[in-house]
Amino acid sequence: MNFQDEIQRRRTFAIISHPDAGKTTLTEKLLLFGGAIHVAGAVKSNKIKKTATSDWMEIEKQRGISVATSVMGFDYKDYKINILDTPGHQDFAEDTFRTLTAVDSVIIVIDAAKGVEAQTRKLMEVCRMRKTPVIVFVNKMDREGKDPFDLLDEIEAELNIHVRPLSWPINIGQRFKGVYNLFDQKLDLYTPSKQTITQSIAFDDIHHPDLEKHIGTDDSIKLREDLTLIEGVYSAFDTHPYLAGEVAPVFFGSALNNFGVKELLDCFVQIAPSPRPVHAIEREVWPEEESFTGFVFKIHANMDPNHRSCIAFVKICSGKFERNVNYKHVRYNKLLRFSSPTAFMAQKKEVVDEAYPGDIIGLPDTGNFKIGDSLTSGEDIHFKGLPSFSPEMFKYIENADPMKAKQLNKGIDQLMDEGVAQLFIHQNNGRKIIGTVGQLQFEVIQYRLLHEYGAQSKWEPKSHYKACWIESDDKDELENFRRRKFQYMALDKDGRDVFLADSSYILQMAQNDFKHIRFHFSSEF
Ligand code: G4P
């Protein structure tokens, strides 16, 4: 197969959802279709349950599982599918945000009974920022849930995207009979037993009297009415607005019962994008380019605390990656060669000789890489799009053992390079502030500092509302702001000014007093 075909056949995506909507179940069914696994239950739920916040074994185990399931590659028909896993626990949302920078599209799973939930809304904001094409899978149709039209309205309003149903449910819950597949014009009838193949009947004329035979009179009348309404309300499906991230096709089904999953996958491989061009500061990088480029979007510390080795996950943006070839680590301006890059096929890591745009490779590393680093055939390329978002919680980190100050600082630096949380240095007193999305991250940091670096730390609460990255065209006003708000100013990991607002009131006041300053809740604007 030539280079172009290898690129065209790749589909690299993430499945995102609010916890419990069915992401793990759907992932597992997709892997079953791809032949990547053979039995249900093989995919461990990548979840740290709320009750496990102080169960360290659970977290350690979790880290092991998530290396194995970080990327799941498999072949399906003529396509090479790469599913990037995202952490289930919302305290690790930052990890998910970064993973979203490495995908070309996304499948969002929504629970039919719960509708759009908080975490889905947040993740969708990141997709919208990046114009990532999304497909929605409304799951758990075998249970009582919301009216499908209401759900579509809710998705449009809450996720701020137009929708276009490509399948339509015939009843719901106990009376659920299946879906009409608008994409393939088929009647997919539901068999409520696990692992069975859907009964699929080609059915392009919905007014044909045979419909009654399959789903009964009442449901036929209702289905015809619904479909007429859909054709009247929603524009015909077109891949362009989908690929532009403006319209989300919607499928209905039940992941647990393996219903509607194959239909989703078959449509997905056809319409989802192959690797797309990636923005770098210098220029746009196209997958078809001959020279290799890629960036690190995730770093996974090894399970063995005695060996400080990590795996850096690199998304290939252009060209072909080859084993044992020298590549430039752009930040270090140094050539590195990798003798055992791994690919992730069917939940196994294996050494690969080459990889193509869209693929993710794992590079064993001993601390050379930071999140966002680029690796190229020689060109100085810096990829954009790995923003930091304002943390929700802040704490001062203090040394609890004066003999181990060096270890603590090293540990903090390495954990931050790994992207475990965000570090800010207070400009007023030089103290280190760690910002996280949730309490669990603080616990993980303290635990890992102790076990991997032998450093004791303690936390001192710091009540901040938001971290705002600031900018202004008016240099004098910016300088004036820095002086006046000195006690609130910190530097982020890249040495950029950040305003740590104590409360929404303080932020409001600052916005009122300094009209020419723009306040951003994310480091990329
Ligand atoms: P997540 O990764 O998004 O957090 O969700 P996960 O797949 O773990 O699914 C959450 C729960 O919802 C699981 O039940 C799962 O079996 C169930 N589920 C997933 N899809 C469907 C569906 O289509 N219909 C129904 N009725 N249930 C579904 P659990 O009891 O929490 O876990 P388990 O003990 O079954 O593993």
Side-chain angles (χ1 to χ4, degrees):
M1 195 174 292
N2 70 28
F3 180 54
Q4 294 299 330
D5 293 342
E6 286 288 1
I7 299 171
Q8 287 310 313
R9 77 184 193 101
R10 275 165 169 75
R11 300 286 181 273
T12 302
F13 72 106
I15 304 178
I16 57 177
S17 76
H18 191 86
D20 276 344
K23 179 168 74 77
T24 311
T25 314
L26 179 65
T27 306
E28 180 174 280
K29 301 298 161 165
L30 293 177
L31 293 178
L32 278 167
F33 280 121
I37 53 168
H38 300 287
V39 285
V43 179
K44 297 283 170 295
S45 170
N46 182 9
K47 271 194 287 192
I48 299 171
K49 298 261 193 245
K50 275 240 153 34
T51 48
T53 46
S54 51
D55 182 349
W56 299 117
M57 279 321 288
E58 188 57 34
I59 288 177
E60 287 298 283
K61 213 166 68 201
Q62 185 61 52
R63 289 176 52 215
I65 294 168
S66 51
V67 170
T69 60
S70 282
V71 183
M72 289 159 277
F74 62 91
D75 287 302
Y76 178 70
K77 296 185 172 169
D78 293 333
Y79 299 92
K80 163 81 192 293
I81 313 246
N82 293 313
I83 306 181
L84 273 57
D85 195 24
T86 55
H89 199 291
Q90 58 193 29
D91 284 11
F92 299 104
E94 190 83 16
D95 226 41
T96 304
F97 297 154
R98 279 193 296 263
T99 299
L100 291 180
T101 64
V103 300
D104 297 304
S105 71
V106 153
I107 293 180
I108 297 181
V109 184
I110 287 175
D111 182 325
K114 295 191 179 141
V116 176
E117 296 173 88
Q119 189 72 355
T120 323
R121 224 171 285 136
K122 229 167 151 181
L123 294 170
M124 183 62 205
E125 270 172 42
V126 182
C127 295
R128 210 171 321 108
M129 270 171 70
R130 306 178 52 77
K131 298 198 169 51
T132 310
V134 303
I135 294 182
V136 175
F137 183 72
V138 179
N139 190 29
K140 306 197 186 181
M141 291 305 291
D142 58 315
R143 284 208 193 145
E144 295 307 320
K146 300 186 181 187
D147 173 80
F149 280 112
D150 289 348
L151 265 172
L152 292 183
D153 287 349
E154 184 177 330
I155 295 168
E156 287 207 322
E158 298 268 333
L159 297 186
N160 202 354
I161 188 163
H162 294 296
V163 295
R164 199 334 161 167
L166 287 187
S167 78
W168 194 252
I170 303 160
N171 249 317
I172 189 167
Q174 301 256 318
R175 289 157 290 112
F176 182 53
K177 288 187 180 159
V179 295
Y180 182 67
N181 185 334
L182 290 126
F183 186 69
D184 283 334
Q185 301 194 314
K186 279 187 323 196
L187 198 56
D188 291 333
L189 299 181
Y190 177 57
T191 331
S193 61
K194 296 177 195 181
Q195 316 292 321
T196 51
I197 297 163
T198 308
Q199 190 192 347
S200 210
I201 304 158
F203 212 93
D204 59 0
D205 177 13
I206 198 71
H207 297 287
H208 197 284
D210 274 359
L211 188 63
E212 272 81 356
K213 269 198 252 161
H214 295 297
I215 62 172
T217 311
D218 291 352
D219 284 328
S220 297
I221 295 171
K222 177 83 171 59
L223 180 63
R224 289 185 184 120
E225 276 173 14
D226 285 355
L227 294 183
T228 310
L229 195 58
I230 289 169
E231 300 309 330
V233 172
Y234 302 99
S235 337
F237 176 67
D238 176 2
T239 47
H240 291 101
Y242 156 66
L243 292 174
E246 290 158 8
V247 173
V250 181
F251 286 84
F252 292 83
S254 164
L256 186 64
N257 294 291
N258 209 355
F259 185 82
V261 177
K262 188 166 185 299
E263 290 67 22
L264 171 75
L265 182 59
D266 284 340
C267 173
F268 170 81
V269 290
Q270 277 185 57
I271 68 170
S274 53
R276 308 200 300 166
V278 187
H279 296 284
I281 292 172
E282 293 79 5
R283 63 186 185 84
E284 199 159 73
V285 176
W286 289 77
E288 298 79 13
E289 291 176 18
E290 247 173 58
S291 306
F292 162 76
T293 62
F295 67 87
V296 176
F297 67 95
K298 179 183 177 109
I299 292 178
H300 209 111
N302 203 300
M303 294 289 289
D304 182 355
N306 298 319
H307 299 93
R308 296 234 44 77
S309 63
C310 312
I311 297 178
F313 288 79
V314 175
K315 157 88 185 260
I316 300 176
C317 301
S318 70
K320 188 159 88 173
F321 173 92
E322 287 173 288
R323 189 161 81 96
N324 280 328
V325 167
N326 280 324
Y327 291 116
K328 183 174 182 177
H329 184 309
V330 174
R331 184 170 53 87
Y332 278 180
N333 191 19
K334 179 168 111 178
L335 291 178
L336 298 177
R337 173 206 293 249
F338 303 92
S339 58
S340 48
T342 48
F344 305 83
M345 283 300 282
Q347 299 196 285
K348 283 200 306 282
K349 279 197 306 179
E350 53 193 38
V351 172
V352 284
D353 291 325
E354 52 184 45
Y356 294 89
D359 284 342
I360 311 295
I361 46 168
L363 301 178
D365 175 43
T366 47
N368 283 319
F369 287 116
K370 265 194 202 189
I371 299 267
D373 275 346
S374 43
L375 205 58
T376 72
S377 293
E379 193 178 345
D380 282 337
I381 289 272
H382 300 83
F383 288 101
K384 290 204 266 188
L386 281 154
S388 301
F389 294 89
S390 173
E392 307 282 328
M393 300 170 99
F394 301 84
K395 284 182 187 183
Y396 279 127
I397 185 160
E398 294 297 334
N399 187 5
D401 177 358
M403 305 298 288
K404 298 279 177 67
K406 235 171 101 182
Q407 283 88 332
L408 181 70
N409 288 334
K410 184 171 173 214
I412 294 175
D413 283 349
Q414 290 197 347
L415 292 186
M416 297 307 129
D417 284 352
E418 213 184 279
V420 173
Q422 288 181 60
L423 174 70
F424 301 97
I425 309 277
H426 209 294
Q427 294 188 17
N428 197 12
N429 52 27
R431 290 176 76 184
K432 290 183 172 172
I433 302 164
I434 304 282
T436 67
V437 178
Q439 178 60 27
L440 188 52
Q441 275 169 289
F442 289 119
E443 296 176 32
V444 170
I445 291 168
Q446 199 168 31
Y447 176 85
R448 291 190 56 193
L449 285 172
L450 183 62
H451 286 82
E452 293 172 30
Y453 299 87
Q456 306 238 20
S457 57
K458 56 179 196 254
W459 300 108
E460 195 181 302
K462 183 113 188 55
S463 68
H464 284 307
Y465 163 64
K466 287 270 188 230
C468 308
W469 282 262
I470 54 169
E471 61 156 356
S472 176
D473 301 327
D474 184 337
K475 296 275 169 292
D476 292 341
E477 182 156 319
L478 204 55
E479 205 38 55
N480 192 15
F481 181 85
R482 280 199 197 102
R483 261 200 315 274
R484 286 257 307 275
K485 303 285 178 190
F486 198 60
Q487 74 275 31
Y488 298 108
M489 295 304 294
L491 296 175
D492 76 357
K493 64 175 177 5
D494 301 317
R496 295 164 68 180
D497 280 319
V498 175
F499 173 58
L500 297 175
D502 278 0
S503 62
S504 61
Y505 174 73
I506 296 276
L507 177 60
Q508 186 80 52
M509 292 290 286
Q511 284 168 327
N512 286 345
D513 293 348
F514 294 87
K515 297 255 183 307
H516 300 108
I517 292 187
R518 291 180 290 278
F519 297 79
H520 303 278
F521 293 148
S522 123
S523 66
E524 201 169 271
F525 32 83

